[in-house]
Amino acid sequence: MVPDEAQLASFAQHINTARNLSPLTTKNYLRDLSRLQSLLKDQAIETLDDIDTQHIRNALTALHKNGLSSASLQRWLSSLRTFFRYALQKQWLSNNPTDGVRAPSKVKKLPKLMDADQTIQLVNIAGDDWHSLRDRALLELLYSSGLRLAEIANVNISDIHCGEATVRVTGKGAKTRIVPVGRCALDAIEHWLRVRSERALENEFALFVSQRGKRISHRAIQQRVKLIAQRQGISQPIHPHMLRHSFASHMLESSGDLRGVQELLGHANLSTTQVYTHLDFQHLAKTYDSAHPRAHSRGKTKPRS
């Protein structure tokens, strides 16, 4: 078998010690190499140096045909690259056969979102009890400012600036940004703050607290959003991040300002924000299909000869 047992044992020790990887990660690397051994067993390969780029491409194609997902193929190829780089250091081979090989791109799923009417239906919570006031303020802020679940859970009272209509949030990588807050969200927050002190424990700085008076947990927010959606008559499953997706799509649809939406969302890379341009195009395509008098004739009329 190529690689042989001694080479595999040496590699396992290397990634366990030098790279300080977990036993589970080491097991996954060895499993990926075992898969390579199986794919190469019927070929005339005696040493690692006999493996070339075409062997790797053929193996990748075989795995793809067997139904392995793009993400799994990328991970498998990454394991091979790590091993062959180590093999080069050990001088077990002269060239890395994974150089220039690319796994199929992972298909990016478009995020699910709500249209404007559904969003308004969700946040329009009736009632003046503390639960309703808190939930309405929480949902309004989620949608108004496009916050992540962790971001809204971590918002403190001092982060809200009603006079400036902004909220300070700490996002991924501990990066802080200032985000505008809409009038509806500010009104809901002001109503919540009038009763919050009756529920919050002393020295609790969180804007949103649970029934026990402590900062509300991520799980509790997820459960409340799901429950509220059901109560508000929304049939599709709703989770907090859908409000962020909806915020981004609605902002982009209205403004067309991709860079501005990127700043509001706190995305480090513009490519992360660009997924919403696809959603916006889908919306435009649906609008075209429903409004244009010739839309339903597309692709059906044969040209005259």
Side-chain angles (χ1 to χ4, degrees):
M1 281 282 190
V2 176
D4 61 36
E5 294 301 318
Q7 291 168 337
L8 290 175
S10 177
F11 175 64
Q13 184 178 12
H14 165 70
I15 58 179
N16 263 324
T17 55
R19 299 192 61 187
N20 197 29
L21 298 180
S22 69
L24 179 60
T25 303
T26 301
K27 182 180 178 180
N28 289 337
Y29 271 110
L30 295 178
R31 183 185 60 196
D32 289 336
L33 290 170
S34 175
R35 183 171 277 167
L36 176 66
Q37 288 177 323
S38 298
L39 291 166
L40 297 177
K41 67 180 180 180
D42 295 329
Q43 303 185 47
I45 296 174
E46 297 181 0
T47 67
L48 286 178
D49 226 8
D50 293 331
I51 302 175
D52 60 26
T53 299
Q54 194 57 48
H55 288 126
I56 302 299
R57 287 201 175 102
N58 291 343
L60 200 61
T61 300
L63 291 173
H64 187 48
K65 287 181 178 179
N66 287 336
L68 212 62
S69 69
S70 297
S72 297
L73 291 172
Q74 288 175 351
R75 196 213 67 234
W76 179 78
L77 190 56
S78 177
S79 296
L80 264 59
R81 287 197 180 102
T82 302
F83 171 75
F84 284 120
R85 281 197 295 267
Y86 177 69
L88 279 171
Q89 294 174 7
K90 302 293 288 185
Q91 298 183 344
W92 295 338
L93 74 172
S94 54
N95 294 292
N96 189 335
T98 60
D99 284 347
V101 180
R102 296 288 181 270
S105 298
K106 184 179 179 180
V107 177
K108 183 175 284 188
K109 294 182 179 179
L110 296 180
K112 294 181 180 179
L113 48 81
M114 297 175 286
D115 59 33
D117 290 338
Q118 283 180 313
T119 309
I120 293 170
Q121 181 182 349
L122 177 69
V123 302
N124 278 345
I125 302 172
D128 55 5
D129 59 287
W130 79 270
H131 254 134
S132 299
L133 293 174
R134 183 203 63 188
D135 292 345
R136 183 161 60 245
L138 190 149
L139 290 175
E140 286 279 13
L141 185 57
L142 271 173
Y143 178 56
S144 168
S145 304
L147 304 189
R148 299 179 177 95
L149 174 60
E151 291 172 347
I152 198 162
N154 291 332
V155 169
N156 293 326
I157 294 179
S158 59
D159 293 325
I160 292 288
H161 300 280
C162 293
E164 299 174 4
T166 60
V167 59
R168 182 178 64 243
V169 296
T170 302
K172 290 183 178 180
K175 292 181 179 179
T176 301
R177 69 185 190 280
I178 305 296
V179 186
V181 180
R183 183 69 257 168
C184 291
L186 287 174
D187 287 344
I189 290 169
E190 288 172 0
H191 281 86
W192 159 239
L193 287 175
R194 292 171 192 168
V195 301
R196 178 196 170 279
S197 59
E198 302 170 8
R199 311 302 312 183
L201 294 176
E202 189 177 356
N203 297 324
E204 177 55 70
F205 303 111
L207 175 61
F208 297 111
V209 296
S210 68
Q211 191 163 351
R212 295 182 178 181
K214 298 181 180 180
R215 185 182 299 274
I216 192 169
S217 68
H218 297 187
R219 180 61 179 159
I221 294 174
Q222 291 170 327
Q223 290 174 335
R224 290 302 296 174
V225 171
K226 182 179 180 181
L227 178 62
I228 292 165
Q230 293 172 347
R231 288 178 176 174
Q232 295 295 91
I234 299 174
S235 57
Q236 71 180 114
I238 303 296
H239 55 80
H241 219 65
M242 284 181 71
L243 285 157
R244 177 172 164 87
H245 293 322
S246 302
F247 160 85
S249 181
H250 299 166
M251 285 292 296
L252 189 59
E253 180 183 328
S254 299
S255 69
D257 185 357
L258 190 62
R259 288 285 183 184
V261 174
Q262 177 193 6
E263 290 294 323
L264 292 172
L265 291 173
H267 285 162
N269 299 311
L270 188 63
S271 60
T272 310
T273 316
Q274 283 175 329
V275 65
Y276 297 107
T277 63
H278 299 296
L279 293 170
D280 191 36
F281 179 80
Q282 285 185 344
H283 168 79
L284 291 173
K286 288 179 181 178
T287 301
Y288 179 90
D289 284 339
S290 62
H292 197 285
R294 302 287 287 177
H296 298 291
S297 299
R298 286 183 294 166
K300 294 182 179 179
T301 304
K302 295 181 180 179
R304 294 181 181 179
S305 57

